[in-house]
Amino acid sequence: DAGITQSPRHKVTETGTPVTLRCHQTENHRYMYWYRQDPGHGLRLIHYSYGVKDTDKGEVSDGYSVSRSKTEDFLLTLESATSSQTSVYFCAISETPPQVHTEAFFGQGTRLTVV
Amino acid sequence: KQEVTQIPAALSVPEGENLVLNCSFTDSAIYNLQWFRQDPGKGLTSLLLIQSSQREQTSGRLNASLDKSSGRSTLYIAASQPGDSATYLCAPTGANNLFFGTGTRLTVIP
């Protein structure tokens, strides 16, 4: 298994509170991604990173921010959590950009519930 | 916007059967296509990656084909086993993203 660790694995938080999810990799891959998975939807891209301090928005980025200060860590922050952000969040990594793709590898997911 | 459809949504087969899972996508301008399996409450495990210039890729009992021009990919599983029970996801790849359907939930009955 690719060395990807997501933390926490489960979290319950209240509406309006800030939440940070962490993705840590030991593969030294340049590209990192945050996806969310919801019933009735495929996984959808929130943000991605193509290097330290280099990030860009994905399909469903509203309400989320990210930071990447080190190659191995990619943080996803919900500035003020809402019930619509209740979801399972997955981190993924890849060695190369999607257009010259080697495989993408996924973490085990973080189940976030906003009450 | 890339739309990915996987048919059937759920499939139940007896052990030993060969089966085919279907994936269709609306935008043929993809770079690659990756097949994953997802076990309940778990992350995604990569099964096969087909480069856009390839027609098929094989790994053990799995064979995936890609027809980019028609926007279709199939995953063939030979001699299915109960351990193959999972949700299977296909993901065509754009410039900065993998696009996912909702998957096919496979149950292999012993």
Side-chain angles (χ1 to χ4, degrees):
Chain A
D1 288 347
I4 307 170
T5 304
Q6 292 187 231
S7 59
R9 294 292 314 279
H10 302 271
K11 186 170 181 67
V12 180
T13 192
E14 292 186 351
T15 299
T17 59
V19 177
T20 295
L21 308 183
R22 181 182 183 232
C23 177
H24 178 78
Q25 59 140 333
T26 58
E27 305 296 322
N28 201 36
H29 283 359
R30 180 177 173 187
Y31 294 82
M32 299 185 74
Y33 313 82
W34 277 107
Y35 286 86
R36 60 178 288 173
Q37 185 176 36
D38 304 290
H41 293 274
L43 280 82
R44 292 177 291 173
L45 182 66
I46 305 171
H47 282 278
Y48 65 97
S49 170
Y50 46 96
V52 173
K53 292 188 168 57
D54 292 323
T55 65
D56 207 346
K57 295 179 180 180
E59 179 187 358
V60 290
S61 59
D62 288 348
Y64 301 94
S65 62
V66 290
S67 65
R68 188 153 177 219
S69 58
K70 298 185 288 186
T71 298
E72 57 265 35
D73 289 327
F74 192 31
L75 304 181
L76 176 70
T77 297
L78 291 65
E79 302 290 347
S80 177
T82 67
S83 59
S84 65
Q85 293 176 312
T86 292
S87 187
V88 181
Y89 291 85
F90 287 99
C91 172
I93 65 173
S94 65
E95 192 170 12
T96 58
Q99 55 266 49
V100 288
H101 222 154
T102 52
E103 291 171 271
F105 299 98
F106 281 74
Q108 293 299 297
T110 294
R111 183 173 295 275
L112 176 68
T113 303
V114 183
V115 299
Chain B
K1 180 179 180 294
Q2 180 74 275
E3 300 287 344
V4 181
T5 303
Q6 291 189 245
I7 294 173
L11 180 64
S12 185
V13 300
E15 182 177 1
E17 263 200 21
N18 303 325
L19 57 102
V20 175
L21 308 181
N22 295 294
C23 169
S24 61
F25 46 94
T26 54
D27 185 352
S28 62
I30 64 168
Y31 293 97
N32 309 287
L33 187 141
Q34 197 165 351
W35 280 92
F36 296 88
R37 69 173 280 167
Q38 184 176 25
D39 295 283
K42 304 288 188 181
L44 280 67
T45 300
S46 177
L47 297 173
L48 289 164
L49 170 71
I50 311 176
Q51 304 280 355
S52 59
S53 58
Q54 295 177 316
R55 301 280 296 185
E56 64 179 75
Q57 191 69 254
T58 298
S59 176
R61 295 182 293 108
L62 305 179
N63 176 274
S65 67
L66 174 63
D67 184 343
K68 238 181 70 164
S69 60
S70 67
R72 295 181 186 277
S73 178
T74 61
L75 179 67
Y76 174 83
I77 303 177
S80 59
Q81 303 171 358
D84 295 331
S85 297
T87 296
Y88 289 80
L89 301 166
C90 75
T93 304
N96 296 299
N97 193 8
L98 285 74
F99 296 92
F100 288 87
T102 52
T104 294
R105 184 185 304 168
L106 172 66
T107 303
V108 181
I109 303 165

